[in-house]
Amino acid sequence: MIPRQPTMIFIEGRNLPAHVGIIMDGNGRWAQQRGMKRSAGHKEGARAVRRIVRAARRLGVSALTLYAFSEQNWSRPEEEIEGLMELLLEFLCSERDEILENSIRLRAVGNVDRLPGIVRHALEALSKDSEKNTGMTLTLALSYGGREEILEAASFASDRAAS
């Protein structure tokens, strides 16, 4: 018997959306359902982000918005918030070269002034260093809470995709 080969699905470029938004929710519950700490779920979510960004860039998506940390997330236990901020800082540092080498423009929306100084500094530095990049725009919604911020991200990314 000949083993079946996995079916490959090809996506036509003309059928791709210009802007994809992903609400990153449920990582902690995912881990808890498997008997793991919530932090393990957040780490798995961070690995998924890396895969998503790479896939979106390869597919030619113009703009990707990740709704990563809402205003409501500040009410979580302090240890969990610290872990999430550490993951964000790790992402910004470990993916910096890849973002710059692949002409990805990083931006952030939301109340970024609430982020810890070290995270805010890394975010601002990478945003500034990538501001002239013309490839995909990666927007991180951080400490977001209002419709205005969601609309701002979608509007900006759409404007960017049209140009």
Side-chain angles (χ1 to χ4, degrees):
M1 176 185 258
I2 300 172
R4 284 182 46 177
Q5 295 296 318
T7 304
M8 296 195 75
I9 299 172
F10 293 95
I11 301 171
E12 294 184 40
R14 65 182 174 183
N15 293 331
L16 285 173
H19 184 193
V20 174
I22 299 174
I23 299 171
M24 299 171 57
D25 187 33
N27 294 321
R29 286 186 301 277
W30 175 89
Q32 286 180 310
Q33 290 168 353
R34 287 157 179 78
M36 303 177 336
K37 291 184 178 182
R38 290 180 61 83
S39 60
H42 298 312
K43 287 177 184 173
E44 186 58 36
R47 285 190 285 276
V49 164
R50 288 176 178 94
R51 292 190 305 268
I52 289 166
V53 171
R54 289 174 182 148
R57 184 186 54 75
R58 279 194 311 270
L59 289 170
V61 172
S62 302
L64 175 63
T65 298
L66 300 176
Y67 295 90
F69 190 86
S70 72
E71 280 288 319
Q72 293 77 24
N73 290 150
W74 290 110
S75 64
R76 292 180 179 204
E78 188 174 331
E79 181 180 321
E80 187 173 359
I81 293 170
E82 288 174 7
L84 288 166
M85 292 299 122
E86 286 174 16
L87 281 173
L88 176 55
L89 180 60
E90 180 185 319
F91 174 82
L92 294 168
C93 295
S94 68
E95 301 303 308
R96 179 182 177 76
D97 290 343
E98 187 166 343
I99 286 171
L100 295 174
E101 289 168 7
N102 288 289
S103 194
I104 296 172
R105 182 175 188 223
L106 179 73
R107 18 178 351 256
V109 295
N111 186 9
V112 295
D113 290 340
R114 283 194 77 178
L115 300 175
I118 190 167
V119 174
R120 193 174 57 249
H121 175 75
L123 178 64
E124 289 169 354
L126 185 50
S127 294
K128 183 176 181 339
D129 291 345
S130 68
E131 69 186 359
K132 291 189 166 84
N133 288 353
T134 57
M136 181 179 76
T137 298
L138 172 60
T139 303
L140 301 179
L142 301 166
S143 195
Y144 67 92
R147 289 181 178 162
E148 297 80 13
E149 291 164 348
I150 293 172
L151 289 172
E152 176 192 347
S155 173
F156 179 84
S158 295
D159 291 347
R160 188 88 174 140
S163 58

